[in-house]
Amino acid sequence: MTDLLYSVEAANLNAHLFRITLTIAKPQAIQTVSLPVWIPGSYLVREFSKNLQNLTAQQGRRTAAIHQRDKCTWDIACKPGQPLVLSYEVYAFDNSVRTAWLDSQRGFFNGTSVCLRVHGQEDAPHQLQLIAVKSQPDWQAATGLAPVKTDKKGFGLYQAQNYDELVDCPVELGAFWSGSFVACGVPHRFVVAGALPSFDGERLLANTQKICEAAIRFWHGPGKAAGKKTPHKNYLFMLNAVHDGYGGLEHRNSTALICKRSDLPRPNGPKNSEGYTTLLGLISHEYFHTWNVKQLRPDAFARYDYSQENFTQLLWFFEGFTSYYDDILLRRAGLIDDTTYLQLLGKTIAQVQQTPGRHVQSVAQASFDAWVKYYRQDENTPNATVSYYTKGSLVALCLDLKLRREFKNDSITLDTVMRGLWQRCKAGPMREQDLLDELHARTDRSWQAEIRAWVHGTQELPLRELLEAHDIQMDDEASPMAQRLGLRVAEGAGSVQVKAVLRGSAAETAGMAAGDEWLGLDVGTKGQGGSWRLSKLDELPALMGQERVLTAWVARDKRLLRLRLTIPALLSQWCLKAPTSRASGQWPGP
């Protein structure tokens, strides 16, 4: 038996309570334990201890005294030589990939939400006991942890080498669908909770297998031995299908995903709906993280500090470059064509161009500020910050296109740089200088000017120049009305709700503000065009005719305001089209 054993029981499904019993065989005289305040991969202090309750401590028949040191840390006074048994409950009602969930239909948890860290023994082996739920005989259990002794349904004893591994292997519980496949010799399992009966599991498995094979070959080459070089010997996908939701969180040999039920493939359904393509991109993104952030990781994450923020300026690389490759791997796996790939790329470009904050904050600063800005978005977010996902992916695009333009072959591309970084840094943390050194080693020139401008600066990226150099056609098309006005809105039930007003926009000049409800309009400077009720922004062109000035009626804090709004000239956004022919290596397709 290991010195550290966590027994997890679904104690009360309707009250959403897990009960955890932690046995510490060799406690210190004053044994300190704590619960993480954040989970790696999601850069926000979430205060998981708020859900912990009824903590008790026993040594045999003796109750040990507990002193709470701070919001998430406890000291227990122990007698030498006696095992310490801690018991506590965790409230689990967050149906996301980040924390824990429990009801009569499903259970799920990350170790950071339920497993106290035993200070001084973090590097010792840890074991996890999953107790079967008697009231739910059809439930199963799935986790990326190594089984020690488990039953056919997955309940029983699992082993982790240390605390980091324990909390990096989430657990799925329930009557889920399960399927498996082998990619380059590596076993993979896919479990899906909440799917409709019409769900096409075989298609999801086949498509995911192609993604995994493309990723493994990207990192380890096309040979038969590629699968023997992977950092994981098996892999688990856990997907929670819900009415409305999207997201994923990477782990060392698994990932937790959430998607809309309607995005899952259906027998005899469309080959690739927009929603299903988005889901495949999410799968590709999280799987790519197995290498890029879980193994090849920033120096700030060399050893996680679970008690506070772990700051790094490199999320533009670890999230942005992963975002660049997630769609490329779909293309290389044959799951989308050139047209769809360029549509996805064009959408990313539009998202960045419609963010005034790109002129305010560099993508390196955005990485560092993720803890207080990206994960705490409000109505001013698009004006003050830029996404390290989207702009970071465009930095990768520019770097890749520039490498391909300069060397005009497949021997020096961003692909080869990434593989070089893997060899250079897989045994240790990565710094920005490592990327610069790898680029210099492969090209015999400095790339500091590009990284300084693209990553640490706020000027526009040279997208048009580099795309046109690779014969990517860039037609302009009219932008949506919301973009012309500089608004982000929510429409529904005959109402236009203003969510954000972009800096320097026509809407800002008119005096619109987040929280306004746009009720209607008077057309023309004197209202000679009539007064109209507004239910959707796309109605404006028909209501206005040739007029370019209107009076907007908005409701703000129960007051009706009349705002003079001048509609700007038509704006255009890029529409990317593939060249009719291309030489090998011209642009990052298959």
Side-chain angles (χ1 to χ4, degrees):
M1 179 177 176
T2 185
D3 288 345
L4 299 168
L5 173 64
Y6 300 77
S7 178
V8 178
E9 176 187 4
N12 191 325
L13 304 184
N14 294 334
H16 320 293
L17 291 175
F18 284 109
R19 182 180 296 116
I20 297 91
T21 303
L22 168 56
T23 302
I24 306 171
K26 300 175 182 178
Q28 300 173 0
I30 300 295
Q31 181 60 65
T32 301
V33 296
S34 65
L35 198 66
V37 303
W38 70 290
I39 181 170
S42 184
Y43 307 107
L44 178 67
V45 171
R46 298 186 183 275
E47 312 291 20
F48 299 130
S49 61
K50 67 183 179 182
N51 294 317
L52 189 148
Q53 62 190 43
N54 292 331
L55 176 63
T56 62
Q58 295 287 135
Q59 282 191 296
R61 295 182 179 182
R62 170 184 172 271
T63 298
I66 301 174
H67 170 71
Q68 186 165 358
R69 183 191 301 180
D70 57 32
K71 63 184 179 181
C72 62
T73 309
W74 296 263
D75 293 330
I76 299 99
C78 299
K79 287 187 175 181
Q82 292 186 16
L84 172 65
V85 179
L86 302 181
S87 177
Y88 55 96
E89 296 169 334
V90 170
Y91 178 71
F93 203 59
D94 179 1
N95 199 18
S96 74
V97 298
R98 298 178 294 265
T99 53
W101 171 267
L102 182 64
D103 69 0
S104 61
Q105 304 301 307
R106 172 180 177 261
F108 171 84
F109 65 85
N110 287 286
T112 45
S113 290
V114 303
C115 294
L116 287 168
R117 177 166 62 97
V118 181
H119 291 218
Q121 300 191 46
E122 293 92 340
D123 294 327
H126 290 56
Q127 288 189 337
L128 177 69
Q129 180 82 31
L130 297 177
I131 298 176
V133 186
K134 294 181 179 179
S135 64
Q136 305 290 339
D138 58 342
W139 275 27
Q140 304 175 69
T143 179
L145 287 171
V148 176
K149 185 178 181 181
T150 60
D151 61 23
K152 294 180 179 179
K153 293 185 176 181
F155 292 100
L157 189 63
Y158 291 86
Q159 180 84 16
Q161 294 181 359
N162 48 43
Y163 183 78
D164 283 344
E165 182 179 11
L166 175 73
V167 299
D168 205 14
C169 294
V171 174
E172 180 75 29
L173 304 169
F176 47 71
W177 176 93
S178 178
S180 61
F181 61 87
V182 175
C184 299
V186 179
H188 291 66
R189 184 185 182 191
F190 211 128
V191 302
V192 182
L196 295 173
S198 59
F199 159 57
D200 188 349
E202 293 306 313
R203 183 172 162 199
L204 179 64
L205 289 177
N207 291 163
T208 304
Q209 180 185 29
K210 292 179 180 179
I211 292 170
C212 295
E213 289 175 343
I216 292 171
R217 289 166 180 159
F218 171 90
W219 289 103
H220 304 296
K224 293 183 179 180
K228 297 180 180 180
K229 303 175 184 177
T230 63
H232 53 291
K233 301 308 176 187
N234 51 70
Y235 196 89
L236 172 65
F237 292 94
M238 292 169 282
L239 174 60
N240 181 24
V242 297
H243 174 66
D244 188 14
Y246 173 82
L249 191 60
E250 70 276 1
H251 299 279
R252 61 182 60 199
N253 69 336
S254 63
T255 184
L257 309 166
I258 188 169
C259 77
K260 294 181 181 179
R261 291 189 186 92
S262 58
D263 290 343
L264 290 171
R266 300 184 304 276
N268 303 318
K271 179 180 180 182
N272 273 354
S273 66
E274 182 178 350
Y276 185 50
T277 298
T278 299
L279 172 58
L280 292 178
L282 177 65
I283 291 169
S284 178
H285 183 98
E286 303 305 337
Y287 193 69
F288 197 84
H289 270 319
T290 310
W291 293 265
N292 195 37
V293 88
K294 298 311 297 185
Q295 297 290 327
L296 186 64
R297 63 171 65 182
D299 54 354
F301 296 169
R303 185 69 185 258
Y304 294 122
D305 183 346
Y306 295 102
S307 68
Q308 62 182 355
E309 297 92 337
N310 290 213
F311 293 101
T312 176
Q313 288 195 348
L314 286 174
L315 295 183
W316 59 269
F317 178 87
F318 290 100
E319 291 292 355
F321 279 42
T322 299
S323 296
Y324 175 62
Y325 275 109
D326 55 24
D327 289 336
I328 284 181
L329 291 184
L330 294 187
R331 178 66 192 96
R332 293 178 182 174
L335 297 173
I336 59 175
D337 57 19
D338 286 349
T339 298
T340 302
Y341 170 72
L342 289 174
Q343 287 174 345
L344 294 170
L345 178 58
K347 182 178 179 180
T348 300
I349 293 173
Q351 288 175 336
V352 174
Q353 288 186 319
Q354 294 167 23
T355 304
R358 74 188 188 280
H359 297 306
V360 176
Q361 185 184 55
S362 73
V363 75
Q365 291 172 320
S367 299
F368 195 85
D369 288 340
W371 300 87
V372 294
K373 291 191 175 181
Y374 185 82
Y375 279 91
R376 289 178 175 165
Q377 297 194 15
D378 58 25
E379 71 283 348
N380 193 48
T381 293
N383 297 319
T385 187
V386 68
S387 168
Y388 50 79
Y389 284 90
T390 53
K391 188 176 179 182
S393 71
L394 297 185
V395 170
L397 171 68
C398 290
L399 189 57
D400 202 3
L401 293 180
K402 193 158 188 175
L403 285 166
R404 292 170 185 270
R405 185 178 68 175
E406 289 193 12
F407 297 95
K408 299 186 183 304
N409 58 58
D410 287 335
S411 63
I412 302 178
T413 67
L414 188 57
D415 294 7
T416 57
V417 170
M418 294 296 287
R419 286 190 284 269
L421 278 171
W422 171 255
Q423 295 300 325
R424 181 186 291 263
C425 301
K426 66 179 180 180
M430 177 190 145
R431 302 161 297 129
E432 183 177 299
Q433 188 60 46
D434 292 309
L435 173 61
L436 290 168
D437 290 346
E438 186 65 27
L439 285 165
H440 186 275
R442 292 187 176 274
T443 64
D444 197 30
R445 79 162 179 87
S446 171
W447 289 78
Q448 289 185 348
E450 287 86 354
I451 297 300
R452 187 183 308 114
W454 301 348
V455 173
H456 297 280
T458 57
Q459 59 266 53
E460 298 286 12
L461 297 173
L463 293 165
R464 184 177 293 274
E465 169 198 345
L466 291 171
L467 286 167
E468 289 179 345
H470 290 269
D471 297 326
I472 303 299
Q473 301 175 36
M474 303 178 61
D475 295 340
D476 289 334
E477 61 180 22
S479 61
M481 181 57 69
Q483 182 181 341
R484 287 176 65 185
L485 296 177
L487 287 174
R488 295 186 179 178
V489 302
E491 298 175 337
S495 175
V496 178
Q497 299 285 340
V498 177
K499 295 300 183 182
V501 179
L502 301 187
R503 187 72 69 241
S505 65
E508 183 186 59
T509 301
M512 288 189 174
D516 287 351
E517 181 183 6
W518 191 350
L519 301 172
L521 61 147
D522 297 333
V523 178
T525 55
K526 298 181 180 180
Q528 65 270 27
S531 299
W532 303 92
R533 182 76 167 91
L534 185 68
S535 57
K536 293 183 179 180
L537 283 186
D538 289 344
E539 296 173 345
L540 277 178
L543 296 176
M544 293 181 56
Q546 299 301 313
E547 294 288 346
R548 286 294 172 264
V549 179
L550 59 84
T551 299
W553 285 90
V554 303
R556 182 185 303 166
D557 191 28
K558 296 296 184 179
R559 296 187 179 189
L560 292 179
L561 305 179
R562 300 172 73 248
L563 306 176
R564 181 185 174 93
L565 175 64
T566 301
I567 307 296
L570 284 173
L571 298 177
S572 61
Q573 60 183 7
W574 293 352
C575 176
L576 306 184
K577 295 183 179 180
T580 55
S581 62
R582 59 177 177 169
S584 176
Q586 266 194 320
W587 66 286

